[in-house]
């Protein structure tokens, strides 16, 4: 839709151009959320896409994904480095049920910064224990876990003028075995819950619940956890919420069921194929 209160659009070329940002002048990435709702409080946009950050950069530490990387680019990440976690990138992209047009404009950073509970990029990068590199408005840089960047339904740890620059996925997470489950009330509905399990090369197990909770919740264990205590730990989470995409009690119950499926998929198996513990 037209945003009739806008009077400025700055195509950013350098970090200095981000100084134009404030409460009423905000970053523009793909625009798929910004132009989908009334934004009467805004007077200007600063376009981040004209910064032309490289979308995907492999480093010694892991993978750096620019905030401006589109879902289409991320979904097409080549599987040429032996990363066991590779399927998770495409799987999480499919949790945003937009058309190819949306996939080709919506960005990783726009999705995380919109901070909807059903943000598939929040699910992906929190479950991989990625760090967010934030360019603060005062010119400093700050790194924080993505799981802590998103703090509530539509809320995050960014202040006016701050920009999410990139997501840094550690090598240990890229080498991890992962399992993914998503459920929605209708076949093309917004996620009711997204549950991701990860077993790192050292055997440690992380379960990340999102979509059903107002911010990502993570449970950590030394190894794949026993069924009963994993179920109890999921049910003991307290940040379930209700909206048109699902009731809190349904989200809680189904998350526990999906956690068990993940535990079963990732758990050690004995010679007869039964999951240990
Ligand atoms: C058909 C359709 C289906 C959708 N389904 C889902 C869904 O299932 N789950 C879901 O979460 N969302 C969904 N959305 C909304 C969704 O969040 C966005 O469309 C998309 O992820 C936003 O990305 P964008 O790059 O277009 O962001 P924009 O619309 O450009 O920006 C989104 C917000 O983030 C801010 N922002 C953008 N980039 C940065 C940055 N680098 N640093 C700081 N702030 C920034 C903007 O100022 C704005 O407030 C859907 C949208 C459509 C059209």
């Amino acid at each position: 839709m037209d945003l009739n209160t806008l009077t400025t659009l700055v195509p950013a070329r350098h970090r200095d151009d981000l100084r134009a940002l404030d409460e009423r002048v905000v970053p523009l990435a793909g625009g798929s959320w910004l132009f989908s709702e009334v934004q009467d409080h805004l007077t200007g946009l600063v376009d981040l896409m004209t910064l032309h950050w490289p979308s995907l950069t492999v480093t010694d530490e892991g993978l750096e994904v620019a905030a401006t990387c589109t879902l289409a680019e991320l979904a097409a990440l080549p599987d040429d480095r032996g990363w066991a976690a590779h399927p998770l990138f495409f799987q999480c992209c499919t949790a945003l049920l937009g058309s190819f047009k949306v996939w080709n404009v919506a960005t990783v950073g726009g999705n995380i910064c919109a901070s909807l509970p059903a943000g598939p990029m929040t699910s992906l990068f929190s479950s991989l224990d990625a760090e967010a590199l934030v360019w603060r408005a005062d010119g400093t840089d700050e790194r924080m876990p993505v799981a802590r960047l998103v703090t509530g339904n539509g809320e995050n740890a960014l202040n006016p003028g701050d920009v999410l620059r990139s997501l840094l996925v550690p090598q240990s997470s890229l080498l991890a075995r992962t399992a993914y489950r998503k459920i929605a009330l209708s076949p093309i509905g917004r996620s009711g819950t997204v549950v991701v399990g990860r077993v790192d090369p050292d055997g440690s197990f992380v379960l990340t619940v999102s979509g059903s909770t107002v911010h990502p919740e993570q449970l950590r264990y030394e190894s794949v956890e026993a069924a009963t205590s994993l179920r109890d730990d999921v049910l003991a989470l307290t940040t379930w919420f209700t909206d048109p995409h699902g009731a809190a009690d349904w989200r809680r119950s189904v998350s526990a069921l999906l956690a068990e499926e993940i535990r079963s998929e990732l758990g050690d198996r004995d010679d007869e194929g039964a999951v240990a513990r």
Side-chain angles (χ1 to χ4, degrees):
M1 65 169 62
D2 291 342
L3 301 182
N4 296 317
T5 56
L6 297 182
T7 57
T8 60
L9 172 60
V10 175
R13 307 283 178 203
H14 310 283
R15 186 168 178 173
D16 283 353
D17 295 329
L18 304 178
R19 287 190 194 152
L21 296 169
D22 60 24
E23 286 90 351
R24 293 161 68 80
V25 180
V26 300
L28 167 65
S32 61
W33 179 82
L34 267 177
F35 288 100
S36 72
E37 292 191 10
V38 174
Q39 310 280 359
D40 280 352
H41 60 296
L42 298 183
T43 59
L45 300 174
V46 176
D47 189 350
L48 303 182
M49 304 308 282
T50 45
L51 287 161
H52 297 300
W53 292 327
S55 291
L56 299 162
T57 309
V58 179
T59 69
D60 289 344
E61 287 87 46
L63 175 68
E64 179 174 8
V65 180
T68 47
C69 176
T70 63
L71 264 69
E73 287 174 296
L74 191 65
L77 177 72
D79 183 12
D80 57 0
R81 298 200 173 249
W83 292 338
H86 180 269
L88 191 63
F89 289 86
F90 180 79
Q91 288 168 331
C92 285
C93 288
T94 64
L96 194 150
L97 292 162
S99 66
F100 73 95
K101 288 183 278 188
V102 175
W103 267 38
N104 275 282
V105 295
T107 64
V108 166
N111 189 256
I112 293 173
C113 296
S115 300
L116 302 174
M121 297 299 100
T122 304
S123 304
L124 172 65
F125 289 97
S126 59
S127 68
L128 291 174
D129 278 338
E131 284 200 319
L133 173 59
V134 176
W135 280 2
R136 292 292 187 191
D138 65 6
T140 59
D141 293 357
E142 185 177 339
R143 282 183 177 214
M144 68 174 72
V146 173
R148 276 207 296 114
L149 178 68
V150 176
T151 54
N153 190 344
E155 295 169 3
N156 58 49
L158 299 180
N159 299 313
D162 292 345
V163 168
L164 175 59
R165 168 63 182 86
S166 58
L167 295 311
L168 310 153
V169 185
Q171 185 75 4
S172 55
S173 294
L174 294 167
L175 297 176
R177 291 186 297 124
T178 60
Y180 163 93
R181 295 290 187 282
K182 175 220 153 150
I183 194 165
L185 286 177
S186 61
I188 56 167
R190 185 167 285 185
S191 304
T193 192
V194 175
V195 186
V196 177
R198 199 184 89 222
V199 178
D200 281 355
D202 67 1
S204 57
F205 174 56
V206 183
L207 189 87
T208 303
V209 179
S210 58
S212 47
T213 51
V214 292
H215 55 70
E217 295 278 9
Q218 293 189 287
L219 300 169
R220 294 177 188 278
Y221 306 93
E222 286 181 4
S223 59
V224 175
E225 184 62 354
T228 313
S229 52
L230 182 65
R231 179 177 177 279
D232 289 348
D233 290 348
V234 172
L235 293 176
L237 297 173
T238 58
T239 52
W240 312 105
F241 73 104
T242 295
D243 73 357
H245 307 287
D249 59 348
W250 171 74
R251 288 181 142 129
R252 177 173 176 261
S253 302
V254 80
S255 297
L257 288 175
L258 298 180
E260 171 52 22
E261 287 188 16
I262 284 172
R263 192 195 74 84
S264 181
E265 184 175 325
L266 292 177
D268 295 330
R269 288 166 191 279
D270 63 22
D271 293 342
E272 277 141 29
V275 179
R277 298 206 293 165

